[in-house]
Amino acid sequence: MGAANVVVTPAAEKFMRRLLRFSEHPAGGFRLTVTPGGCSGLSSSFSLDAAPQDGDAVLDVNGLRVFLPAASAALLDGVTVDFADTPTSSGLRFHDPKQAACGCSTPARRRRRRPACRWTRCAASAAPRWAWK
């Protein structure tokens, strides 16, 4: 099967190469499987394989072989694969220009309101103390 229309950023390429270098198949390829779901619309899993399987699209990224199962290649058509490493998460990210923004940076639910509490002066004590009422 031919190569898919997928862009792999230098950060994603570096991540894939690093994993392959320390795998038992350093001359093999990076198998990327995606399914619908997740924040970007795609969830992924990967493995490091010696050779592509029947029906895989083989993407050549500067000599790095990326194996894409047929269903994954169809889902990744026109998508940019990136790698992000932040203090809160690390992994592959998918940027699809055809998909609307997911709104992850906006609150998914309203902030929970605190119960109606207020400080009041405690009359039972000679010294001024405050308590929740």
Side-chain angles (χ1 to χ4, degrees), residues 99-110:
Q99 185 177 6
C102 68
C104 287
S105 61
T106 58
R109 54 192 141 110
R110 291 182 175 212

Side-chain angles (χ1 to χ4, degrees), residues 22-46:
F22 297 106
S23 75
E24 58 188 55
H25 307 293
F30 188 92
R31 175 179 306 287
L32 178 60
T33 305
V34 295
T35 55
C39 180
S40 67
L42 299 172
S43 293
S44 68
S45 63
F46 61 84

Side-chain angles (χ1 to χ4, degrees), residues 114-132:
R114 292 186 76 183
C117 297
R118 61 188 171 114
W119 286 100
T120 182
R121 192 172 184 142
C122 184
S125 172
R129 291 192 180 167
W130 297 88
W132 282 105

Side-chain angles (χ1 to χ4, degrees), residues 25-79:
H25 307 293
F30 188 92
R31 175 179 306 287
L32 178 60
T33 305
V34 295
T35 55
C39 180
S40 67
L42 299 172
S43 293
S44 68
S45 63
F46 61 84
S47 61
L48 308 167
D49 295 343
Q53 295 178 2
D54 290 338
D56 280 356
V58 179
L59 183 64
D60 185 298
V61 181
N62 300 322
L64 169 70
R65 296 188 314 158
V66 179
F67 307 143
L68 302 172
S72 297
L75 288 170
L76 287 172
D77 186 44
V79 172

